[in-house]
Amino acid sequence: MTEPAPPHRQPEEGPRHGRLSARPAPPTGHGASGLVPVPAPDGGPPALAYAPPGDGPYRLVVLLHGAGGTARQGLDLLLPLADAHRLLLLAPQATASSWDLVGEGYGPDVRRIDELLGVVFGAYPVAGVALGGFSDGASYALSLGLTNGDLVDAVLAFSPGFAAPLVTHGRPRAFVSHGSDDRVLPVDVCSRRLVPRLHSLGYPVEYAEFAGGHEVPAEIRQRAVAWLAG
């Protein structure tokens, strides 16, 4: 990253621009280990979190489900690898069938994720924040990650369709994977265009193309987590 991570105070930038204001701080409580529901502060569907046993600090990964998906599907992207790599996972539920950017633009999901981050930062010691997701969730993770590179230092994008930040901060690194036989988001018009574009803008990108469809094979998940830890 090229920027520090002070509290976000730009008054001209807010949720409608995709900006997140929550920042890691010494926790004021003690979060439970294991799989725990995290009530959404706005009263919406609860998020899910998973904390490995033992003390932190943890690397937080916010995981975003695909269109029509659930928080549990987002969490399951990396749940089998969380203990071995000391990953604190947070999986929000979109306010609609997919993330706000895909519909009417940034707003309600940014606010919800920001509030959930505040809850997690208050309960767990966090050293490093990454965003990850699959399909629409991957597009949203990339878009929010480029927007908030003063908080997010890495993005895991499994089969993304696009990245659409309105503003950018920092230079988070990205891991992008895509199946060569993807019929939902064809690789030719998605990652094979997106990755060179990110490279041209100065973002460090690791690209993993595999023989398969709209999916995240186990070996790709393992490679992504190894890259995240590197």
Side-chain angles (χ1 to χ4, degrees):
M1 294 189 298
T2 58
E3 297 186 30
H8 165 54
R9 294 193 181 94
Q10 290 93 326
E12 74 282 6
E13 295 178 6
R16 297 300 299 178
H17 300 88
R19 290 291 273 150
L20 300 167
S21 61
R23 292 295 184 271
T28 56
H30 184 73
S33 60
L35 184 65
V36 294
V38 183
D42 63 3
L48 289 176
Y50 178 81
D55 297 324
Y58 302 103
R59 188 145 184 31
L60 173 63
V61 186
V62 181
L63 294 169
L64 308 176
H65 61 76
T70 64
R72 181 57 197 244
Q73 289 172 328
L75 193 77
D76 285 347
L77 287 169
L78 297 185
L79 185 58
L81 303 169
D83 285 352
H85 294 273
R86 306 295 297 158
L87 301 178
L88 172 62
L89 307 179
L90 171 65
Q93 179 71 44
T95 57
S97 62
S98 192
W99 303 96
D100 52 18
L101 177 60
V102 181
E104 298 183 1
Y106 293 117
D109 286 323
V110 177
R111 286 188 288 269
R112 175 174 290 180
I113 291 170
D114 209 17
E115 291 173 344
L116 289 168
L117 284 172
V119 172
V120 170
F121 292 154
Y124 299 93
V126 170
V129 179
L131 293 177
F134 170 65
S135 192
D136 274 9
S139 300
Y140 200 55
L142 271 173
S143 300
L144 282 187
L146 303 187
T147 300
N148 295 282
D150 47 352
L151 168 66
V152 175
D153 62 14
V155 178
L156 305 175
F158 303 113
S159 305
F162 63 89
L166 297 181
V167 296
T168 59
H169 292 267
R171 282 291 183 270
R173 60 194 182 112
F175 177 94
V176 178
S177 69
H178 218 115
S180 58
D181 300 317
D182 193 330
R183 303 298 174 87
V184 178
L185 293 173
V187 67
D188 280 341
V189 296
C190 294
S191 289
R192 287 180 185 169
R193 291 184 181 179
L194 176 60
V195 169
R197 176 63 174 162
L198 292 174
H199 276 304
S200 73
L201 294 172
Y203 292 99
V205 184
E206 176 84 7
Y207 181 49
E209 189 171 308
F210 59 92
H214 199 58
E215 58 187 316
V216 191
E219 60 269 23
I220 290 295
R221 301 170 200 238
Q222 293 165 355
R223 180 173 167 182
V225 169
W227 169 90
L228 184 62

